[in-house]
Amino acid sequence: MRFSSSLLAIVGAGEQPALSPRRLCLFNTTTGAPLQELNFLTSILAIRLNKSRLIVLLLDKTFIYDINSLAILSTIDTVLNPKGLCTFSHSLDACFLALPASTTKGSVLVYNVTELQSLCEIDAHLSPLAAMIFSSEGTFLATASKQGTMVRVHTIPEGIKCFSFRRGAYPSTIFSLSFGSSMKLPDFLVATSSAGSLHLFMLGSASNQRGKSSSFIGAMIPSAILDPAHHHVLHNAVAEGVKSNAVIRKVEKISDASLSEAFCFRATISVVTHDGYLREYIFSINHKNESSWALEREYNLLTAISDIPTGS
């Protein structure tokens, strides 16, 4: 979906002839009619779009289209990318696309889809990439490798490593990464893993503790592994081994009237699992770095879909 508009980009799973994985259909949910189709020689592995661009990923090629005219603007030859791994910044001022640049190590190619040129290449990890995400303003890029023990954050467009977080000592697959929304330095970064844990890393407090200005974070903050105090874990958030995707929906900064200049943060995090559950967690932390997790609500999406009356 393009934000909260009526435009959907749909790709079939190949279970029916009309739902080919090589065909992209742009669909208007208001009129209930298809707008246009794009056909490709091989299966489409990922779709990304914002208000100006449509990105289509194939196994070894990435196509960039103008979202309004559907004119093809650029084709990027990529390394083999069977999982369609990528991240796309929604900001029109920093309209960047990140793609794997190697199949043997964790290198990232950052491409400017507005100016249609390569921006930088980052050697983020020794192992191949498993997950990556841009911050809401496109100024930070978080990455994790298939090893899954470290999560690193780089400044964009400089490509400078500014944070390193240790997720754990043992390998685990990172399924998803998500930044909290912020105009400057993102407050939170969350990750889900195959261990069933939900990890939250605090970028804002880590920066403030060192007394550095966020506007110079890329150049001034050392890239050493940050204190575990900035890492908060909810174990057994989902079943172990079940693929999951987490999104930080909202971050609130709440002042404590009883204490001068004291404040606490509260984040709302939605987690969707491959076995059909939607869970909403509330993470809270006060000025003493005392944190808590609460399961706010839970839905079984498969049951909810089966309860919808036929024809509705």
Side-chain angles (χ1 to χ4, degrees):
M1 177 183 289
R2 184 173 71 169
F3 300 102
S4 58
S5 70
S6 59
L7 180 64
L8 290 180
I10 301 173
V11 177
E15 297 174 354
Q16 303 174 27
L19 299 176
S20 169
R22 297 187 297 275
R23 179 183 300 127
L24 167 65
C25 177
L26 294 179
F27 190 83
N28 188 314
T29 58
T30 301
T31 63
L35 299 176
Q36 191 162 342
E37 290 186 353
L38 296 173
N39 292 283
F40 299 88
L41 296 177
T42 60
S43 294
I44 299 166
L45 301 177
I47 296 290
R48 298 292 184 270
L49 67 166
N50 65 10
K51 293 181 179 179
S52 65
R53 297 290 186 261
L54 169 67
I55 312 296
V56 180
L57 270 73
L58 307 185
L59 179 63
D60 58 358
K61 290 184 183 297
T62 297
F63 297 93
I64 301 174
Y65 292 86
D66 180 275
I67 191 67
N68 297 307
S69 66
L70 289 185
I72 186 167
L73 302 176
S74 180
T75 301
I76 306 172
D77 291 321
T78 67
V79 299
L80 294 179
N81 187 11
K83 293 187 177 180
L85 180 61
C86 70
T87 182
F88 185 40
S89 169
H90 289 165
S91 172
L92 295 182
D93 295 327
C95 200
F96 303 141
L97 171 70
L99 299 163
S102 173
T103 58
T104 58
K105 62 180 182 177
S107 297
V108 187
L109 171 67
V110 181
Y111 193 86
N112 186 323
V113 300
T114 300
E115 300 178 3
L116 304 177
Q117 62 183 19
S118 178
L119 190 66
C120 64
E121 187 169 322
I122 303 169
D123 289 328
H125 303 269
L126 296 178
S127 301
L129 295 168
M132 52 186 171
I133 191 73
F134 279 115
S135 62
S136 59
E137 295 300 307
T139 51
F140 293 89
L141 174 68
T143 60
S145 74
K146 290 183 177 180
Q147 189 75 6
T149 55
M150 300 294 300
V151 175
R152 295 193 171 99
V153 180
H154 294 77
T155 59
I156 301 298
E158 300 85 2
I160 299 173
K161 181 170 63 177
C162 56
F163 290 111
S164 291
F165 295 102
R166 182 173 294 282
R167 180 213 55 82
Y170 297 100
S172 182
T173 301
I174 301 295
F175 289 136
S176 71
L177 296 168
S178 175
F179 277 110
S181 179
S182 175
M183 294 298 291
K184 294 183 180 179
L185 176 68
D187 297 312
F188 296 151
L189 170 66
V190 298
T192 58
S193 74
S194 57
S197 302
L198 179 60
H199 300 262
L200 185 143
F201 307 101
M202 299 188 64
L203 282 72
S205 64
S207 174
N208 294 336
Q209 186 183 53
R210 291 179 175 167
K212 307 300 184 182
S213 168
S214 63
S215 61
F216 297 100
I217 190 171
M220 298 179 67
I221 294 185
S223 60
I225 300 171
L226 291 178
D227 193 299
H230 307 302
H231 178 197
H232 303 268
V233 186
L234 176 62
H235 297 287
N236 302 314
V238 300
E240 185 176 349
V242 175
K243 189 174 182 180
S244 57
N245 192 292
V247 175
I248 300 178
R249 294 183 50 240
K250 181 171 59 175
V251 176
E252 299 171 286
K253 183 178 181 181
I254 304 169
S255 299
D256 190 336
S258 64
L259 296 171
S260 176
E261 298 183 356
F263 61 89
C264 64
F265 282 102
R266 183 167 60 211
T268 303
I269 303 167
S270 293
V271 181
V272 180
T273 66
H274 196 263
D275 57 356
Y277 284 90
L278 169 62
R279 298 183 178 96
E280 188 172 281
Y281 291 99
I282 302 297
F283 171 82
S284 301
I285 187 166
N286 63 19
H287 66 287
K288 296 181 180 179
N289 203 42
E290 298 169 335
S291 62
S292 65
W293 296 86
L295 178 61
E296 187 77 0
R297 54 181 59 90
E298 180 182 55
Y299 300 101
N300 185 327
L301 301 178
L302 301 181
T303 301
I305 292 172
S306 64
D307 289 342
I308 298 175
T310 303
S312 62

